[in-house]
Amino acid sequence: MSTEKLTIAKAINASLRTALETDPKVLVMGEDVGKLGGVFRVTDGLQKDFGEDRVIDTPLAESGIVGTAIGLALRGYRPVVEIQFDGFVFPAYDQIVTQLAKMHARALGKIKLPVVIRIPYGGAIGAVEHHSESPESLFAHVAGLKVVSPSNAADAYWMLQQAIQSDDPVIYFEPKRRYHDRSEVDTTAIPGPLHVARTVREGTDLTLAAYGPMVKTCLEAAAAAAEEGKSLEVLDLRSISPIDFDSIQKSVEKTGRLVVVHEAPVFFGSGAEIAARITERCFYHLEAPVLRVGGYHAPYPPSRLEDEYLPGLDRVLDSVDRALAYQG
Amino acid sequence: MSTEKLTIAKAINASLRTALETDPKVLVMGEDVGKLGGVFRVTDGLQKDFGEDRVIDTPLAESGIVGTAIGLALRGYRPVVEIQFDGFVFPAYDQIVTQLAKMHARALGKIKLPVVIRIPYGGAIGAVEHHSESPESLFAHVAGLKVVSPSNAADAYWMLQQAIQSDDPVIYFEPKRRYHDRSEVDTTAIPGPLHVARTVREGTDLTLAAYGPMVKTCLEAAAAAAEEGKSLEVLDLRSISPIDFDSIQKSVEKTGRLVVVHEAPVFFGSGAEIAARITERCFYHLEAPVLRVGGYHAPYPPSRLEDEYLPGLDRVLDSVDRALAYQG
Amino acid sequence: MTVDSTAARKPRRSSKRAGAKKAAGESELVQLLTPEGERVEHPDYSIDLSPEELRGLYRDMVLTRRFDAEATTLQRQGELGLWASLLGQEAAQIGSGRATRDDDYVFPTYREHGVAWCRGVDPTNLLGMFRGVNHGGWDPNENNFHLYTIVIGSQALHATGYAMGVAKDGADSAVIAYFGDGASSQGDVAEAFTFAAVYNAPVVFFCQNNQWAISEPTERQTRVPLYQRAQGYGFPGVRVDGNDVLAVLAVTKAALDRARTGEGPMLVEAFTYRMGAHTTSDDPTRYRRDEERELWEAKDPILRLRAHLEKQGLADEAFFASLETESDALAKRVRDTVRSMPDPDHMAMFEHTYADGHTLVDEERAQFVAYQASFAEESK
Amino acid sequence: MTVDSTAARKPRRSSKRAGAKKAAGESELVQLLTPEGERVEHPDYSIDLSPEELRGLYRDMVLTRRFDAEATTLQRQGELGLWASLLGQEAAQIGSGRATRDDDYVFPTYREHGVAWCRGVDPTNLLGMFRGVNHGGWDPNENNFHLYTIVIGSQALHATGYAMGVAKDGADSAVIAYFGDGASSQGDVAEAFTFAAVYNAPVVFFCQNNQWAISEPTERQTRVPLYQRAQGYGFPGVRVDGNDVLAVLAVTKAALDRARTGEGPMLVEAFTYRMGAHTTSDDPTRYRRDEERELWEAKDPILRLRAHLEKQGLADEAFFASLETESDALAKRVRDTVRSMPDPDHMAMFEHTYADGHTLVDEERAQFVAYQASFAEESK
Ligand SMILES: Cc1ncc(C[n+]2csc(CCOP(=O)(O)OP(=O)(O)O)c2C)c(N)n1
Ligand SMILES: Cc1ncc(C[n+]2csc(CCOP(=O)(O)OP(=O)(O)O)c2C)c(N)n1
Ligand SMILES: [Mg+2]
Ligand SMILES: [Mg+2]
């Protein structure tokens, strides 16, 4: 066993390093990923150790980055692409949606597209426009992509390993506001499957489901609620496509109430899909409608407003109270 | 009163013509919209009558089309852009999402972006890949855009008038498989608001909610169900952002059951948002979970499979039966 | 303040050259065989083919045209939903296709039936997507011929990335990306130029300028000849007579050799003409005059090579007759194969979205099975 | 088969010129004022400014630099979340900004503080987005200066569309689009070139090549000088010494005049240097050597004009002293304004997403109000 206390950023760095070491076909590419080590230093030191041929500073063109990554994958490489910030993935959206997602099906399975797209996402870092968004819905709706987001360093390490090993394109959303959160990473542990949720806190009164940056917020909410005598179960979904509905269902069958929390706007967000499907699956178990806490239907606001815009402890607890207020 | 029986395609053509005639700032632009009149002939004759300066054949570059349309709007024009097919909107997605949708807010309201983007969408026309998709979710999730889709010629005419007059960007999805459906258009009638749903058939047992091409399918389903003694109410939502939840709620409070039908994949589709919100609003009225009928989580299939992929009469009725089977 | 701006108003010499419309695009054209079938020399490109090789090129073009015509017929008969004819572009495709080596890799648009033929792809494989039974479905690695790509320009980036991979592998293969005059406007093609130049990727950009992008003439995409686009990205561009199979072969081969010897990308603009409609859904009478087509008929790529073969006595009647027979046989095989092409099983919808599976797909598949079973029950 | 491909392996003359690396980019540079402050002539561009005009340019540059430095300080003090300094690019921005007419329209990136200054935008307006109280928020039509655009390259298309509108209106205004060397790789910039050329739009593409796109040197974006990019799209490109305010002014004015007289687009590459970090979040010591910066320090745009003014006796001590005072006053005003810039009201989140309203926004606003009210109740 080899356990280390790592930040999420360092865990991702370690995971990329492991991948580059163990598989000569793995490439890291993106804007400023080389000498600079990325604007968040997530790729720090990799170009120095693996060379410019494997850790590639690209021209400033996201469609070009993903489009050439597809070509490299067709040649047998496993590119791990970095998009510098959430709001800059859109120039690559066409390549992701019309090519990367569909090419395996277009070839009736005869070719594989093992491309990972890493995207630091979410807000609360006081940034300017386009640097704080949560566009995961826009990828989850697209068949052919897998979408995941870790909430802690151990998952960050392992989920990236699994994403790189996957023969499918994986959009790997990194909770940038948690980059510096530190936790134990066992790089020798055999992890569970990539797309399975994990119960991070057990409870009986209500289920909180979240992923990425909101898991911590939900844990804080659960702790606060416990002081008021409410027992909340917290699920870390880990995967947004597919969503582990079985685990949510199991929890809701126990608690009877579900609140889904994400930073992304609520309207057409992942909470909608979860609410719809869980309501169908658990119609007779639900004692309250599935409630959703997330961003508003507005462009991500200037940073001085982001605390109001983002779901925080209080807004989560408010929804918890509203859900608990229903008489089942 | 000036009533005419028009196809949807002709009604859109007439609407563009009216707009070009009444407002010198209106422009029509896109690939092949000029001499050819568009691949569906929707812009037929417009360039001949209004000149190349107002009906503009553009280079083959969707980002360029939308990006220059934004610039033209900033100069005071009201561009109506045609994207040739649903699957070809993605190269323009960045301009739509990061610029068109957000620029009004970026300027704190000081500039307006009256750009309409017309997109023929949906399947059932036996086409090759990328020509049959329903990407409306990917626009509805984005604040700053309005998203509508007419189901008949009168709405096609009037909703386009209203979209062009709107000072907000509007994505106008045209149900291409219904282009040749004919109905009465009164070009003098004062229409209701753009974003309000309409009850197209009254019923008491269950509500079917749809928009665009699926309205007709739902009407057929309601007729078939009536023969079996089931009374279905059919709502034509007309607008996907905003969604007229009030009208849906009112109907569901009456019927107690709701099935949402769209061609787009169910996963993260508009049915999810409707199910989530209506369940919250009508928790004590719903006698069954809101059910959704739509496309599968797969790339739109080759045309020989599209009848199976698309929600047809039978699949709608199957969901109706499933919803009715619940004991409230 | 006074600023003397006459210099810029009258553009400087270097820019004037780029900005000014060439009197005749023809003069810049690499040509080795005139429309009348005369061999001519070019200072930069030459070619020396055996009679057998010449007959081979002729055969390729004739069979490709016949295949293409048969597909058009099959569309008319309702066997295909759509067809994108290459009529008129046979020389551009056969010349460039025959210039590739087995280990080279080809990224086509949706119209490269002639290139597919050169790569050894069974022509009936191309018909599946036009019939609507698949979206391509062949194994690209079998003949190093990628799937047809419909989203205009996308494949230029795939080709560039593939070529970056070839270079990483230290292989001396080259990659060729096909696209049209219309595609030259797409940002993806420009980005491919940038990546190819920056990484010196062994990729040849082969632009078939067939004068039209559906209803839009090339003037809607550029005001200077397209081959000149390359210069500004730092690699050479050349315009070749796209109806001259010899010139296309020579120029493409040179460009591919250049790529494989580490000299980086090159742009080849094959100046040709789309003789037919854009696709079987299109009606070119709405936007172009017959006279234009007639002008290009006189430059027909097949007739010109035939004239050459005949004038030089390189092929006899027997050759032409046996080719006719071979064409008929090909057409029949295509017809028969298409007609018997089965519709895909319904369950195919749920296959191949993912390589490693996806629980939602499993769930939806199961629901579909149950749904279908319900009909069986009802009809019991 | 033999194909003689030496011609292509050794690129043809025309392409060789484009493909070959210039021995010294300097030789192509339009320069009217040497780093030492000597006036030099250029065959294509000349300029004749009054002493007052020269002092005006100097003043613009000094005040811009002072404003920029103050903003950097304010960021360090936590008053701004971020700052993108223009240090070193004053001549490129003041020269080009002063070349515009009131009725011209400017589309900036996020770094055009000097251009904003020339357009009459109050510099404190620029700070809102960096402080995090808005995303720009000024009225672009007040000074014909569009909002800062962060998504690299997007504004090139807006500028082109705007210019298409200008042409439609028959106005003789011109439009100028700013972008960086990194941005030159974006598909949107290429598409802007295509649209501008095809519609002959009165737009000047002004590329500040400051040698870096965050940590990537210009070689990661192109292997030939960027100004050459224009040729392949059919309009002229020119490289100007971006640290020479006179040359930038002359070249930009010529380009704008050209545009307004119907001669279409032009690309101006201002060869300059980003003296500071990319933004206050950046650490350039990780990727570039001090020596490079030192080299460029010797070409400082402000010192060079000062040397000229002093050598020619065009400004006296009093001028420089009063400018110092003016600078201090500007800095103080900026500081005071920023510090007293209020945070936006929470309800501002729900404003301006739409011009015509949206029921969901109304619903969410109402929910938010109720939610906030619940705290008031609790605390009662
Ligand atoms: C991104 C995108 N936009 C629009 C289309 C629709 N479309 C199909 S072919 C075509 C014209 C292509 O012209 P060109 O590149 O010259 O190729 P050609 O068809 O002439 O071979 C268009 C606009 C598309 N397939 N993809
Ligand atoms: C589409 C997009 N991708 C990435 C970024 C992140 N980013 C901000 S500035 C920058 C470098 C820009 O370089 P350049 O165009 O040379 O302008 P400069 O900053 O040097 O003025 C990058 C990569 C962005 N803003 N937009
Ligand atoms: Mg063409
Ligand atoms: Mg730069």
Short mmCIF file of all heavy atoms in Angstrom, two decimals, chain B residues 220-254:
data_model
loop_
_atom_site.label_atom_id
_atom_site.label_comp_id
_atom_site.label_asym_id
_atom_site.label_seq_id
_atom_site.Cartn_x
_atom_site.Cartn_y
_atom_site.Cartn_z
N GLU B 220 -52.81 12.44 -32.84
CA GLU B 220 -53.19 11.13 -33.36
C GLU B 220 -53.35 10.12 -32.22
O GLU B 220 -54.28 9.31 -32.21
CB GLU B 220 -52.14 10.62 -34.37
CG GLU B 220 -52.17 11.41 -35.68
CD GLU B 220 -50.93 11.18 -36.56
OE1 GLU B 220 -50.05 10.39 -36.14
OE2 GLU B 220 -50.86 11.79 -37.63
N ALA B 221 -52.44 10.20 -31.27
CA ALA B 221 -52.52 9.29 -30.12
C ALA B 221 -53.81 9.55 -29.34
O ALA B 221 -54.49 8.61 -28.90
CB ALA B 221 -51.30 9.47 -29.23
N ALA B 222 -54.14 10.83 -29.17
CA ALA B 222 -55.35 11.16 -28.41
C ALA B 222 -56.59 10.65 -29.14
O ALA B 222 -57.53 10.14 -28.51
CB ALA B 222 -55.43 12.68 -28.21
N ALA B 223 -56.56 10.77 -30.45
CA ALA B 223 -57.70 10.26 -31.23
C ALA B 223 -57.82 8.74 -31.07
O ALA B 223 -58.92 8.20 -30.85
CB ALA B 223 -57.54 10.65 -32.70
N ALA B 224 -56.69 8.08 -31.16
CA ALA B 224 -56.72 6.61 -31.01
C ALA B 224 -57.18 6.23 -29.61
O ALA B 224 -57.99 5.30 -29.43
CB ALA B 224 -55.32 6.05 -31.29
N ALA B 225 -56.69 6.94 -28.62
CA ALA B 225 -57.05 6.64 -27.23
C ALA B 225 -58.55 6.87 -27.01
O ALA B 225 -59.21 6.14 -26.26
CB ALA B 225 -56.22 7.49 -26.27
N ALA B 226 -59.06 7.91 -27.66
CA ALA B 226 -60.49 8.22 -27.51
C ALA B 226 -61.33 7.03 -27.92
O ALA B 226 -62.36 6.73 -27.30
CB ALA B 226 -60.84 9.46 -28.33
N GLU B 227 -60.88 6.34 -28.95
CA GLU B 227 -61.63 5.16 -29.40
C GLU B 227 -61.66 4.08 -28.34
O GLU B 227 -62.56 3.25 -28.33
CB GLU B 227 -61.01 4.62 -30.69
CG GLU B 227 -61.25 5.56 -31.87
CD GLU B 227 -60.69 5.03 -33.17
OE1 GLU B 227 -60.36 3.82 -33.22
OE2 GLU B 227 -60.57 5.82 -34.13
N GLU B 228 -60.65 4.11 -27.49
CA GLU B 228 -60.65 3.14 -26.39
C GLU B 228 -61.27 3.75 -25.13
O GLU B 228 -61.11 3.24 -24.04
CB GLU B 228 -59.21 2.71 -26.08
CG GLU B 228 -58.52 2.07 -27.28
CD GLU B 228 -57.05 1.76 -26.99
OE1 GLU B 228 -56.64 1.86 -25.82
OE2 GLU B 228 -56.31 1.44 -27.94
N GLY B 229 -61.89 4.92 -25.30
CA GLY B 229 -62.58 5.54 -24.18
C GLY B 229 -61.71 6.34 -23.23
O GLY B 229 -62.11 6.66 -22.11
N LYS B 230 -60.49 6.64 -23.67
CA LYS B 230 -59.61 7.43 -22.82
C LYS B 230 -59.60 8.88 -23.31
O LYS B 230 -59.43 9.12 -24.51
CB LYS B 230 -58.19 6.88 -22.85
CG LYS B 230 -58.08 5.46 -22.34
CD LYS B 230 -56.77 4.81 -22.77
CE LYS B 230 -56.82 3.30 -22.57
NZ LYS B 230 -55.79 2.59 -23.37
N SER B 231 -59.73 9.79 -22.40
CA SER B 231 -59.82 11.19 -22.78
C SER B 231 -58.50 11.90 -22.51
O SER B 231 -58.13 12.18 -21.36
CB SER B 231 -60.94 11.85 -21.96
OG SER B 231 -60.86 13.24 -22.07
N LEU B 232 -57.76 12.17 -23.56
CA LEU B 232 -56.44 12.79 -23.39
C LEU B 232 -56.49 14.27 -23.78
O LEU B 232 -57.08 14.63 -24.79
CB LEU B 232 -55.38 12.11 -24.28
CG LEU B 232 -55.25 10.58 -24.18
CD1 LEU B 232 -53.97 10.13 -24.88
CD2 LEU B 232 -55.26 10.11 -22.74
N GLU B 233 -55.87 15.06 -22.96
CA GLU B 233 -55.70 16.48 -23.28
C GLU B 233 -54.33 16.64 -23.95
O GLU B 233 -53.35 16.05 -23.50
CB GLU B 233 -55.78 17.31 -22.00
CG GLU B 233 -55.61 18.79 -22.22
CD GLU B 233 -56.50 19.60 -21.26
OE1 GLU B 233 -57.71 19.30 -21.17
OE2 GLU B 233 -55.96 20.51 -20.61
N VAL B 234 -54.29 17.44 -25.00
CA VAL B 234 -53.01 17.63 -25.69
C VAL B 234 -52.62 19.10 -25.63
O VAL B 234 -53.37 19.98 -26.03
CB VAL B 234 -53.09 17.17 -27.16
CG1 VAL B 234 -51.75 17.40 -27.86
CG2 VAL B 234 -53.48 15.68 -27.25
N LEU B 235 -51.43 19.33 -25.10
CA LEU B 235 -50.89 20.69 -25.05
C LEU B 235 -49.78 20.85 -26.09
O LEU B 235 -48.89 20.01 -26.17
CB LEU B 235 -50.27 20.98 -23.68
CG LEU B 235 -51.16 21.09 -22.46
CD1 LEU B 235 -50.33 21.58 -21.27
CD2 LEU B 235 -52.31 22.06 -22.73
N ASP B 236 -49.86 21.92 -26.84
CA ASP B 236 -48.75 22.30 -27.72
C ASP B 236 -47.96 23.36 -26.95
O ASP B 236 -48.39 24.49 -26.79
CB ASP B 236 -49.33 22.89 -29.02
CG ASP B 236 -48.21 23.32 -29.99
OD1 ASP B 236 -47.03 23.29 -29.60
OD2 ASP B 236 -48.56 23.68 -31.13
N LEU B 237 -46.79 22.97 -26.49
CA LEU B 237 -46.03 23.88 -25.61
C LEU B 237 -45.53 25.11 -26.35
O LEU B 237 -45.37 26.17 -25.76
CB LEU B 237 -44.85 23.14 -24.97
CG LEU B 237 -45.22 21.97 -24.07
CD1 LEU B 237 -43.95 21.35 -23.48
CD2 LEU B 237 -46.16 22.42 -22.94
N ARG B 238 -45.19 24.96 -27.61
CA ARG B 238 -44.74 26.07 -28.46
C ARG B 238 -43.40 26.66 -28.05
O ARG B 238 -42.64 27.07 -28.91
CB ARG B 238 -45.83 27.17 -28.53
CG ARG B 238 -47.15 26.63 -29.10
CD ARG B 238 -48.30 27.62 -29.00
NE ARG B 238 -48.23 28.68 -29.97
CZ ARG B 238 -48.00 29.96 -29.68
NH1 ARG B 238 -47.79 30.33 -28.43
NH2 ARG B 238 -47.97 30.86 -30.61
N SER B 239 -43.14 26.70 -26.79
CA SER B 239 -41.90 27.33 -26.32
C SER B 239 -41.17 26.37 -25.39
O SER B 239 -41.79 25.75 -24.52
CB SER B 239 -42.24 28.63 -25.59
OG SER B 239 -41.08 29.22 -25.06
N ILE B 240 -39.86 26.29 -25.57
CA ILE B 240 -39.06 25.38 -24.75
C ILE B 240 -38.20 26.17 -23.77
O ILE B 240 -37.72 25.66 -22.77
CB ILE B 240 -38.22 24.45 -25.66
CG1 ILE B 240 -39.15 23.71 -26.62
CG2 ILE B 240 -37.41 23.45 -24.86
CD1 ILE B 240 -38.62 23.57 -28.01
N SER B 241 -37.99 27.42 -24.06
CA SER B 241 -37.41 28.33 -23.06
C SER B 241 -37.96 29.72 -23.31
O SER B 241 -37.63 30.32 -24.33
CB SER B 241 -35.89 28.37 -23.13
OG SER B 241 -35.40 29.31 -22.19
N PRO B 242 -38.78 30.26 -22.42
CA PRO B 242 -39.28 29.58 -21.23
C PRO B 242 -40.31 28.51 -21.59
O PRO B 242 -40.86 28.50 -22.68
CB PRO B 242 -39.94 30.71 -20.44
CG PRO B 242 -40.35 31.71 -21.48
CD PRO B 242 -39.31 31.64 -22.55
N ILE B 243 -40.57 27.63 -20.62
CA ILE B 243 -41.66 26.66 -20.75
C ILE B 243 -42.86 27.22 -19.99
O ILE B 243 -42.71 27.75 -18.89
CB ILE B 243 -41.23 25.29 -20.18
CG1 ILE B 243 -40.09 24.70 -21.02
CG2 ILE B 243 -42.42 24.33 -20.11
CD1 ILE B 243 -39.49 23.43 -20.45
N ASP B 244 -43.99 27.10 -20.57
CA ASP B 244 -45.21 27.61 -19.94
C ASP B 244 -45.71 26.60 -18.90
O ASP B 244 -46.66 25.86 -19.13
CB ASP B 244 -46.26 27.87 -21.03
CG ASP B 244 -47.57 28.39 -20.45
OD1 ASP B 244 -47.64 28.63 -19.22
OD2 ASP B 244 -48.52 28.54 -21.24
N PHE B 245 -45.02 26.58 -17.77
CA PHE B 245 -45.37 25.61 -16.72
C PHE B 245 -46.77 25.86 -16.17
O PHE B 245 -47.44 24.92 -15.74
CB PHE B 245 -44.34 25.66 -15.59
CG PHE B 245 -43.00 25.11 -15.97
CD1 PHE B 245 -41.89 25.95 -16.06
CD2 PHE B 245 -42.83 23.76 -16.25
CE1 PHE B 245 -40.65 25.45 -16.41
CE2 PHE B 245 -41.58 23.25 -16.61
CZ PHE B 245 -40.49 24.11 -16.70
N ASP B 246 -47.20 27.10 -16.17
CA ASP B 246 -48.53 27.40 -15.64
C ASP B 246 -49.61 26.62 -16.39
O ASP B 246 -50.51 26.03 -15.79
CB ASP B 246 -48.83 28.91 -15.74
CG ASP B 246 -48.00 29.71 -14.74
OD1 ASP B 246 -47.37 29.09 -13.85
OD2 ASP B 246 -47.97 30.95 -14.88
N SER B 247 -49.49 26.62 -17.72
CA SER B 247 -50.50 25.91 -18.51
C SER B 247 -50.43 24.41 -18.28
O SER B 247 -51.46 23.73 -18.20
CB SER B 247 -50.33 26.22 -20.00
OG SER B 247 -50.58 27.58 -20.25
N ILE B 248 -49.21 23.91 -18.18
CA ILE B 248 -49.09 22.46 -17.94
C ILE B 248 -49.67 22.13 -16.57
O ILE B 248 -50.44 21.17 -16.41
CB ILE B 248 -47.62 22.00 -18.01
CG1 ILE B 248 -46.94 22.50 -19.29
CG2 ILE B 248 -47.54 20.47 -17.93
CD1 ILE B 248 -45.43 22.17 -19.36
N GLN B 249 -49.32 22.94 -15.61
CA GLN B 249 -49.82 22.71 -14.24
C GLN B 249 -51.34 22.69 -14.22
O GLN B 249 -51.96 21.80 -13.62
CB GLN B 249 -49.29 23.81 -13.32
CG GLN B 249 -49.80 23.70 -11.88
CD GLN B 249 -49.20 24.77 -10.97
OE1 GLN B 249 -48.33 25.54 -11.40
NE2 GLN B 249 -49.65 24.81 -9.74
N LYS B 250 -51.93 23.69 -14.87
CA LYS B 250 -53.39 23.78 -14.88
C LYS B 250 -54.01 22.50 -15.45
O LYS B 250 -54.97 21.94 -14.91
CB LYS B 250 -53.82 24.99 -15.72
CG LYS B 250 -54.94 25.80 -15.10
CD LYS B 250 -55.25 27.04 -15.93
CE LYS B 250 -56.48 26.81 -16.79
NZ LYS B 250 -56.57 27.76 -17.91
N SER B 251 -53.41 22.04 -16.55
CA SER B 251 -53.93 20.83 -17.18
C SER B 251 -53.75 19.62 -16.27
O SER B 251 -54.66 18.81 -16.10
CB SER B 251 -53.23 20.63 -18.52
OG SER B 251 -53.63 19.42 -19.11
N VAL B 252 -52.59 19.53 -15.65
CA VAL B 252 -52.30 18.35 -14.82
C VAL B 252 -53.16 18.37 -13.55
O VAL B 252 -53.55 17.32 -13.04
CB VAL B 252 -50.79 18.30 -14.49
CG1 VAL B 252 -50.50 17.24 -13.44
CG2 VAL B 252 -49.99 18.02 -15.76
N GLU B 253 -53.45 19.56 -13.06
CA GLU B 253 -54.34 19.61 -11.89
C GLU B 253 -55.70 19.05 -12.23
O GLU B 253 -56.42 18.55 -11.36
CB GLU B 253 -54.44 21.06 -11.38
CG GLU B 253 -53.20 21.47 -10.60
CD GLU B 253 -53.16 22.93 -10.21
OE1 GLU B 253 -54.11 23.67 -10.58
OE2 GLU B 253 -52.18 23.35 -9.57
N LYS B 254 -56.03 19.13 -13.49
CA LYS B 254 -57.31 18.57 -13.95
C LYS B 254 -57.20 17.07 -14.22
O LYS B 254 -58.01 16.28 -13.75
CB LYS B 254 -57.74 19.30 -15.22
CG LYS B 254 -59.04 18.80 -15.84
CD LYS B 254 -59.52 19.68 -17.01
CE LYS B 254 -58.66 19.52 -18.23
NZ LYS B 254 -59.18 20.21 -19.43
#
